[in-house]
Amino acid sequence: MDNNTSHTAAASNGTTHSGLREYTVTVYTEDRIGITNRITIIFTRRHINITSLTTAQTEIPGVYKFIITVLAEREKLDKVIGQIEKLIEIHRAFVHDESEVVYQELALYKISTASLHNGNIEQLIRDNNARILTITSEYFVIEKTGHQQELIDMLQKLVPYGVIEYSKSGRVAIVKWSRRFHDHLKDLQRKEADNLKLVH
Amino acid sequence: MQQKDVLPMKTEVSEKRVVTTPATVQTMTGSEAVIRSLIAEGVDTIFGYPGGAIMPIYDALYDFQQEVHHILVRHEQGATHAAQGYARSSGEVGVVFATSGPGATNLVTGLADAYMDSTPMVCITGQVNAVLLGTDAFQETDVIGITMPITKWNIQVTRSEDIPGAIAKAFYIARNGRPGPVLVDITKNAQVGKLDFNYKKCEYIRSYHPVPELSEEAIKDAAALINQAQRPYILCGHGVLISGAEKELIALAEKANIPIASTLLGLSAVPVDHPLYVGYLGMHGNYGPNINTNECDVLIAVGMRFDDRITGEVSSYASQAKVIHIEIDAAEINKIIKADVPVHADAKTALQALLPHIAPTQHKEWLQTFKEADKQEYDKVKHRELYPEEGMLKMAEVVRIISEKTGGHAILVTDVGQHQMIASRYYQFKDPNTNITSGGMGTMGFALPAAMGAKMGAPEKEVVAVIGDGCFQMTLQELGTIYQSEIGVKIVILNNNFLGMVRQWQQLFFDKRYSSTEMINPDFVQIAKGFYVPGRKVTDRAEIAAAVEEMLTHKGAYLLEVVVEQEDNVFPMVPAGAPISHIRLE
């Protein structure tokens, strides 16, 4: 990401001290090399900070969904959305505030195995609905899903046990009102797919 | 070349001509497929410059000299501007060939210019072999990455079989919706590899819908606003010319007696002598059209994008008016100026739908305000600019004479700077698509190659390029192309030995500190002579009319250098960032 924003930049109400708000942007695209670049250039031009970006294929073959979180002013972001939608390979792009999406993020925490003897880490894992993915003689890995702040809170709780490494995903989101658009995407399945398939 | 059942067939590829294309699938190289794809799209003129990575395509071109006319430019930037001029004068897509690396990077300025000014162009660049991609191979550059933000679409083709599909898509995208430049980068292995060629024009891309669905509700809302308006005002942009909506626009204006002003790129859509045409908008536009933007009650913006050279300070721009914005590019609506009635549509479609809903009306008092403002401007600025009796020649009087001698029917190609603003203000455009200039980018060096392309695109028209001394020296090597390809353009250099517009700003806003704007110029006529283009230098007012006459009657290219007043300023002027109502007449 092209930013220096710390994990705690967005306060719990989604607004930063600079008056920027956290929004989730969803973009439905064709499968094309360079599409990420084309989208992010548009944010860069307007100096909007991308704080996370997740992308994967949707249920429609050849259609990808980008889930981007940004700190921005709504009015400026709406204009960015218009410019993203102008790209040839974009189906649609939307801005959502927190109330419009159901979302999760995933974090992995690598902790020294020796720390199992310090305090009650097992209880901490249970209380936070986390789970252990793997244990070696040197370290073990905890996985937790949740909202960004929950994952950061968990990190703070694990610090006394000695965090060797921490890794967090971008956002995965489902839009509450997206039914109509998904009907549109289903229509695409019936239409001829883009005929130019380039393999690199 | 291997062939399978070749049955030559005559195909009508454009209104202009008929060419022979293979009737059935044929096995051929990627390079031949490039040329045949272009022919299938109706291309008969290409501007380009060969080099290592595009040599197979040039080799294939050798066999198609009867069908495709290749213009060898002297610099790839010249090829892009020539293709722009060609596209703007002919209505066709301009086509450019360039090699990889420096060839491709030399296209950047022209691509950005075409992108800003919505000019349809397809650039085909050679690229290193696919196996070398990403290795910093000889003459490899990431032309796709470089041109991503300045093209409507671009694509790298690494397999021969993808060439026809990529070119078909390129043309579809370049010419539909809001037109723009497209770049197709083809690796050398794709050029030399074989494919079964069977060209199919692109008619549909599932993620791209260039023709918006017209909202009847928006049309009715727009009509209601216009019918209630006391001081309605039409702003005519480039979109009117692109969609061919000139007649509809004039019909709308005449039906409800609405004054029309034009943006820089909208010039020539409405004849300057039309009674409802009130002039030119923007930083160096006319007085009345600018101040009345902040007086109208309904602003009807057609195919324009509220560039900052038009609006000045945005917060005070037309804040009293209800705004109807007819625009094909949805991203332009509400981008700068909030529209009360957004009409997302092609200008022609929208105006055709709007016309039956418009009630005939008179707006005599409102129109009178434009006449009064024009009189003020005439008395304070225009008269002394157009008809000076002493001192050195002025740019405006030279433009007036060119306008008189051509009857306003020539294609006027201007470069960027004072001469551009003066020519745009004073040339009396009569016919659509006769104004070709670099609007959004303001690219110095545009005019000479663009004029060349414009003449190729409309050989029956007189093409006059009006160029500043600074601009001319940015692309003057294209005189070589003009000579070699026998392109009969008329070139007028307005020489004030300064980078005039920068100098004007230095005078007005930087205490006359003329930092690096004075030019010690070469002998332009001698330079032209070196390229076998005849010419003449004029410094005396008594000679200018005859010199323009001589230039226009000369068969073939001609260069006229006119030495003009050194520290002449272009007025009116809205200082950058100021409200448009702060326009200065002196």
Side-chain angles (χ1 to χ4, degrees):
Chain A
M1 297 299 98
D2 54 343
N3 68 84
N4 297 309
T5 314
S6 74
H7 292 305
T8 52
S12 55
N13 68 356
T15 309
T16 66
H17 61 275
S18 57
L20 302 176
R21 227 180 142 75
E22 185 173 63
Y23 291 98
T24 304
V25 172
T26 52
V27 186
Y28 293 86
T29 79
E30 286 287 343
D31 177 11
R32 281 279 183 277
I33 281 186
I35 197 73
T36 310
N37 213 354
R38 284 172 209 275
I39 295 169
T40 57
I41 284 169
I42 295 171
F43 287 98
T44 307
R45 280 184 73 190
R46 295 228 182 213
H47 281 237
I48 292 178
N49 225 347
I50 291 177
T51 51
S52 80
L53 189 155
T54 311
T55 180
Q57 186 159 310
T58 64
E59 66 275 27
I60 315 297
V63 175
Y64 276 65
K65 180 179 179 180
F66 282 67
I67 301 159
I68 302 166
T69 57
V70 293
L71 291 169
E73 295 156 355
R74 179 65 191 243
E75 196 184 337
K76 200 193 258 190
L77 199 50
D78 284 338
K79 291 174 184 175
V80 164
I81 293 304
Q83 288 175 311
I84 292 173
E85 285 199 327
K86 191 168 150 170
L87 299 173
I88 303 297
E89 288 99 349
I90 303 293
H91 287 286
R92 288 299 304 275
F94 304 94
V95 185
H96 318 280
D97 64 27
E98 199 173 359
S99 67
E100 291 174 314
V101 286
V102 175
Y103 67 90
Q104 291 283 276
E105 290 165 17
L106 181 146
L108 301 177
Y109 310 86
K110 187 158 92 180
I111 314 287
S112 164
T113 305
S115 68
L116 281 169
H117 304 295
N118 304 336
N120 194 353
I121 196 168
E122 188 187 330
Q123 191 62 41
L124 180 66
I125 292 167
R126 284 178 194 280
D127 290 350
N128 286 278
N129 292 319
R131 62 178 182 143
I132 294 175
L133 291 182
T134 187
I135 301 181
T136 72
S137 57
E138 290 173 19
Y139 63 85
F140 65 106
V141 176
I142 301 168
E143 176 216 306
K144 176 174 170 52
T145 56
H147 284 196
Q148 177 173 273
Q149 197 57 45
E150 292 175 73
L151 305 181
I152 293 164
D153 291 346
M154 179 76 177
L155 177 66
Q156 299 307 324
K157 289 172 191 165
L158 287 169
V159 166
Y161 295 95
V163 177
I164 301 169
E165 194 180 336
Y166 161 70
S167 187
K168 191 180 82 63
S169 75
R171 183 167 291 184
V172 178
I174 294 284
V175 182
K176 292 177 184 171
W177 48 262
S178 67
R179 187 179 168 77
R180 263 180 62 200
F181 180 65
H182 275 264
D183 288 344
H184 165 70
L185 282 178
K186 292 260 164 62
D187 280 348
L188 294 181
Q189 268 182 309
R190 291 189 284 275
K191 291 182 180 168
E192 186 191 352
D194 224 343
N195 58 2
L196 187 65
K197 292 291 172 204
L198 298 180
V199 179
H200 293 263
Chain B
M1 186 178 74
Q2 271 184 314
Q3 293 187 348
K4 298 178 189 171
D5 299 320
V6 180
L7 298 168
M9 182 177 75
K10 291 223 164 177
T11 316
E12 201 169 312
V13 293
S14 75
E15 287 176 8
K16 289 181 190 168
R17 68 209 182 92
V18 171
V19 298
T20 305
T21 53
T24 56
V25 172
Q26 235 184 296
T27 302
M28 63 179 71
T29 63
S31 296
E32 187 179 343
V34 169
I35 309 298
R36 287 199 180 274
S37 300
L38 294 175
I39 290 171
E41 289 292 342
V43 174
D44 58 11
T45 306
I46 296 169
F47 302 92
Y49 205 98
I54 199 169
M55 276 178 66
I57 292 176
Y58 270 88
D59 184 61
L61 187 63
Y62 196 77
D63 293 327
F64 291 87
Q65 293 175 54
Q66 294 305 311
E67 286 94 343
V68 184
H69 189 188
H70 180 268
I71 307 294
L72 174 63
V73 295
R74 296 300 185 264
H75 187 286
E76 290 87 349
Q77 182 188 353
T80 56
H81 297 325
Q84 288 177 272
Y86 179 86
R88 299 262 287 273
S89 72
S90 70
E92 306 282 338
V93 178
V95 179
V96 171
F97 280 176
T99 192
S100 66
T105 57
N106 281 344
L107 303 180
V108 167
T109 303
L111 283 166
D113 196 293
Y115 189 60
M116 291 283 268
D117 288 352
S118 313
T119 306
M121 180 159 79
V122 170
C123 293
I124 292 177
T125 47
Q127 182 55 279
V128 300
N129 197 304
V131 297
L132 293 172
L133 284 171
T135 66
D136 298 327
F138 177 68
Q139 291 196 331
E140 184 202 359
T141 50
D142 176 13
V143 64
I144 294 297
I146 290 169
T147 62
M148 224 174 244
I150 51 166
T151 50
K152 190 174 171 188
W153 186 69
N154 67 12
I155 194 160
Q156 187 168 66
V157 182
T158 56
R159 305 186 313 172
S160 312
E161 56 267 42
D162 291 331
I163 286 173
I167 291 178
K169 266 185 95 168
F171 276 85
Y172 178 73
I173 291 166
R175 58 162 72 107
N176 281 286
R178 179 177 176 178
V182 166
L183 184 136
V184 182
D185 191 41
I186 306 175
T187 59
K188 206 162 179 179
N189 60 297
Q191 295 173 39
V192 297
K194 294 282 177 69
L195 73 150
D196 289 339
F197 181 77
N198 184 18
Y199 197 76
K200 194 176 160 211
K201 275 197 173 190
C202 177
E203 288 168 348
Y204 168 74
I205 296 171
R206 73 174 182 175
S207 58
Y208 177 55
H209 307 284
V211 182
E213 203 173 313
L214 185 68
S215 158
E216 273 300 320
E217 200 181 334
I219 291 295
K220 283 180 185 161
D221 290 349
L225 270 185
I226 295 168
N227 289 338
Q228 289 161 15
Q230 302 298 309
R231 298 182 307 281
Y233 187 24
I234 295 172
L235 308 188
C236 163
H238 193 194
V240 172
L241 288 159
I242 293 171
S243 72
E246 301 90 348
K247 282 183 187 157
E248 287 78 1
L249 186 86
I250 291 168
L252 169 70
E254 287 177 350
K255 196 167 182 186
N257 253 283
I258 307 173
I260 310 171
S262 174
T263 67
L264 174 64
L265 289 183
L267 287 172
S268 85
V270 180
V272 168
D273 56 3
H274 190 282
L276 289 169
Y277 180 74
V278 293
Y280 162 50
L281 291 160
M283 183 175 268
H284 293 287
N286 296 115
Y287 184 59
N290 274 309
I291 56 168
N292 273 348
T293 311
N294 283 357
E295 298 296 329
C296 66
D297 60 356
V298 174
L299 189 70
I300 309 150
V302 190
M304 55 87 77
R305 59 188 183 85
F306 296 107
D307 181 89
D308 54 90
R309 286 299 196 255
I310 296 285
T311 63
E313 188 198 41
V314 171
S315 62
S316 63
Y317 180 83
S319 52
Q320 80 294 341
K322 295 279 186 195
V323 175
I324 299 165
H325 192 182
I326 299 171
E327 170 59 48
I328 196 165
D329 182 352
E332 295 295 349
I333 297 174
N334 295 330
K335 189 177 90 174
I336 308 291
I337 298 296
K338 176 125 183 46
D340 296 278
V341 180
V343 182
H344 180 212
D346 167 78
K348 188 168 186 161
T349 310
L351 292 171
Q352 281 173 340
L354 192 57
L355 264 170
H357 299 283
I358 300 298
T361 328
Q362 294 294 323
H363 299 289
K364 282 185 183 165
E365 284 179 27
W366 171 231
L367 285 162
Q368 187 58 30
T369 63
F370 285 92
K371 288 186 181 139
E372 285 160 12
D374 189 51
K375 185 170 183 321
Q376 279 188 57
E377 185 178 334
Y378 188 85
D379 292 345
K380 287 203 166 174
V381 183
K382 287 183 181 174
H383 181 72
R384 64 178 163 79
E385 291 286 321
L386 291 168
Y387 302 100
E389 286 170 2
E390 54 189 29
M392 293 182 73
L393 275 159
K394 289 177 84 71
M395 288 182 272
E397 67 179 316
V398 181
V399 172
R400 171 179 61 81
I401 290 163
I402 296 169
S403 195
E404 286 167 2
K405 299 274 182 197
T406 59
H409 296 294
I411 293 177
L412 184 79
V413 186
T414 50
D415 222 296
V416 171
Q418 285 185 319
H419 73 275
Q420 176 193 32
M421 295 296 110
I422 291 284
S424 305
R425 285 173 54 77
Y426 296 111
Y427 192 76
Q428 300 291 300
F429 295 99
K430 291 281 196 306
D431 309 322
N433 295 310
T434 52
N435 166 52
I436 297 177
T437 194
S438 168
M441 270 279 282
T443 303
M444 286 179 68
F446 173 85
L448 186 66
M452 215 164 78
K455 185 71 182 170
M456 299 290 302
E460 73 287 358
K461 296 283 279 186
E462 187 75 81
V463 175
V464 181
V466 176
I467 311 180
D469 48 314
C471 295
F472 184 72
Q473 292 177 77
M474 283 205 170
T475 48
L476 68 81
Q477 70 276 21
E478 297 308 335
L479 286 171
T481 312
I482 287 167
Y483 169 66
Q484 181 172 346
S485 295
E486 299 177 11
I487 305 170
V489 291
K490 313 301 181 191
I491 304 152
V492 180
I493 299 176
L494 297 180
N495 181 6
N496 58 10
N497 286 93
F498 263 114
L499 299 178
M501 190 58 94
V502 183
R503 188 213 52 75
Q504 176 171 339
W505 282 49
Q506 287 171 335
Q507 179 187 341
L508 299 175
F509 309 117
F510 292 88
D511 295 331
K512 288 193 175 183
R513 287 153 57 89
Y514 294 160
S515 179
S516 296
T517 42
E518 189 172 7
M519 296 203 110
I520 296 171
N521 284 325
D523 183 334
F524 292 119
V525 175
Q526 279 299 316
I527 284 180
K529 198 174 167 189
F531 286 99
Y532 308 106
V533 172
R536 175 173 171 183
K537 180 175 181 173
V538 170
T539 52
D540 191 344
R541 179 162 290 117
E543 289 178 39
I544 184 68
V548 171
E549 185 74 35
E550 182 180 314
M551 172 184 81
L552 293 171
T553 51
H554 178 82
K555 196 171 176 298
Y558 188 96
L559 182 139
L560 175 64
E561 178 191 351
V562 185
V563 178
V564 294
E565 187 177 321
Q566 277 207 309
E567 297 188 39
D568 201 2
N569 286 336
V570 190
F571 281 108
M573 178 181 189
V574 182
I580 45 166
S581 42
H582 290 193
I583 187 166
R584 294 167 56 170
L585 276 169
E586 52 198 342

